[in-house]
């Protein structure tokens, strides 16, 4: 596990975008696993900027996102489909037919997960998986306690996650209670994992996840066992890691 210390959020975003752009340059037809949440927004912004300058070409890239709320239509501005479109897909030359997210409008959870697993398998593996980190150590929407060997599945969000995500909704009642997410097994099968984390409010979980025991109670701790993980974190997020 390689931990790259960034000065602040802007520096973190540039460093993460550099790693993603290197991946695209090295393998133009790569499969990128993408993430939502507020942390990767700066990374996407930087990628768009480099695309606009003519330094990046997304035409052959395929993307597969980690998760999607169950029950939110794509047009809802809080759906992850909307987020990805808004922050990246509509701003670069990616082929929209090569961008995948779980379909939150499929009511039958088993069917939704089966279909998404089939998509992921058909792509033949994720080259680079971008991840954020939840305050309780969740990755994607894999909440504490989830078995490490799961693939795409339907989750009931924890109270903490609902509270953390309500800032994006009109009220807490509007936050969907369930989501479809890639499982830990799927995430762990990516060739390279890039986790971005920022801010003092994440300092405790960073220490616990990357310097504590590997346990399903802290889903991100499993990343300690992956052989190619890069964590790009700002000083605030690393402030409790005396080990560094
Ligand atoms: C959501 C997403 C996660 C993300 C997490 C942290 O719950 N499903 O993929 O990593 O939030 O988000 P943020 O970066 O906004 O702290």
């Amino acid at each position: 596990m390689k931990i790259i210390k960034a000065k602040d959020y802007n520096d973190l975003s540039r460093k993460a975008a550099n790693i993603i752009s290197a991946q695209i340059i090295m393998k133009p037809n790569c499969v990128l696993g993408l993430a939502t949440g507020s942390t990767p927004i700066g990374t996407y912004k930087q990628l768009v900027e480099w695309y606009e300058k003519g330094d990046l070409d997304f035409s052959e890239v395929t993307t597969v996102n980690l998760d999607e709320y169950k029950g939110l239509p794509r047009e809802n501005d809080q759906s992850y489909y909307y987020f990805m479109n808004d922050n990246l897909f509509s701003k670069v030359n990616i082929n929209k037919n090569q961008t995948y997210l779980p379909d939150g409008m499929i009511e039958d959870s088993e069917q939704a997960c089966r279909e998404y697993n089939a998509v992921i398998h058909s792509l033949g593996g994720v080259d680079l998986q971008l991840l954020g980190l939840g305050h309780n150590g969740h990755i994607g929407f894999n909440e504490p306690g989830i078995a490490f060997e799961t693939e795409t599945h339907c989750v009931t969000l924890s109270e903490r996650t609902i509270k953390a995500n309500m800032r994006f909704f009109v009220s807490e009642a509007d936050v969907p209670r369930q989501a479809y997410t890639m499982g830990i097994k799927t995430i762990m099968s990516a060739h390279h994992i890039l986790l971005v984390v920022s801010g003092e409010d994440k300092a405790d979980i960073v220490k616990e996840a990357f310097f504590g025991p590997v346990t399903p109670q802290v889903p991100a701790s499993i990343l300690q066992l992956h052989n190619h993980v890069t964590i790009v974190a700002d000083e605030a997020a690393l402030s409790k890691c005396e080990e560094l």
Side-chain angles (χ1 to χ4, degrees), residues 16-120:
N18 257 308
I19 294 170
I20 297 172
S21 65
Q23 172 67 68
I24 298 172
I25 292 165
M26 296 294 284
K27 187 177 175 190
N29 64 347
C30 63
V31 178
L32 296 179
L34 298 180
T36 54
S38 41
T39 316
I41 291 178
T43 306
Y44 293 142
K45 221 168 151 193
Q46 182 63 73
L47 290 172
V48 169
E49 226 177 281
W50 286 334
Y51 163 74
E52 284 169 351
K53 272 185 161 173
D55 288 343
L56 267 180
D57 176 11
F58 287 82
S59 61
E60 290 180 58
V61 171
T62 298
T63 66
V64 61
N65 261 76
L66 281 171
D67 46 13
E68 178 60 283
Y69 287 116
K70 183 174 175 185
L72 285 194
R74 292 177 155 196
E75 314 74 56
N76 185 302
D77 62 3
Q78 292 312 323
S79 75
Y80 286 164
Y81 177 88
Y82 193 99
F83 174 103
M84 287 312 303
N85 224 22
D86 202 33
N87 286 289
L88 186 68
F89 300 157
S90 66
K91 298 185 167 149
V92 297
N93 65 336
I94 199 158
N95 176 350
K96 289 268 183 64
N97 297 326
Q98 288 173 200
T99 64
Y100 300 94
L101 283 98
D103 185 344
M105 292 311 283
I106 299 181
E107 184 48 41
D108 178 345
S109 302
E110 268 180 36
Q111 183 199 342
C113 297
R114 200 174 44 243
E115 284 183 10
Y116 204 56
N117 276 331
V119 166
I120 296 168

Side-chain angles (χ1 to χ4, degrees), residues 35-40 66-67 80 131-135 138-141 161 165 167-168 202:
T36 54
S38 41
T39 316
L66 281 171
D67 46 13
Y80 286 164
L131 292 179
L133 179 66
H135 288 100
H138 75 227
I139 45 179
F141 267 134
T161 301
N165 287 352
R167 65 189 195 276
F168 302 114
K202 298 273 176 80

Side-chain angles (χ1 to χ4, degrees), residues 4-21 43 46 50 194 196 230 232-233:
I4 298 177
K5 198 188 243 185
K7 276 197 300 292
D8 51 27
Y9 180 71
N10 277 343
D11 188 31
L12 171 157
S13 301
R14 286 177 67 84
K15 285 182 160 66
N18 257 308
I19 294 170
I20 297 172
S21 65
T43 306
Q46 182 63 73
W50 286 334
L194 170 63
V196 286
T230 307
V232 183

Side-chain angles (χ1 to χ4, degrees), residues 5 199-208 211 234-244:
K5 198 188 243 185
E200 216 181 320
D201 56 318
K202 298 273 176 80
D204 284 318
I205 194 64
V206 165
K207 183 178 167 67
E208 221 181 310
F211 296 95
D234 59 15
E235 284 175 5
L238 295 175
S239 58
K240 301 224 166 127
C241 301
E242 304 87 26
E243 296 83 350
L244 292 174

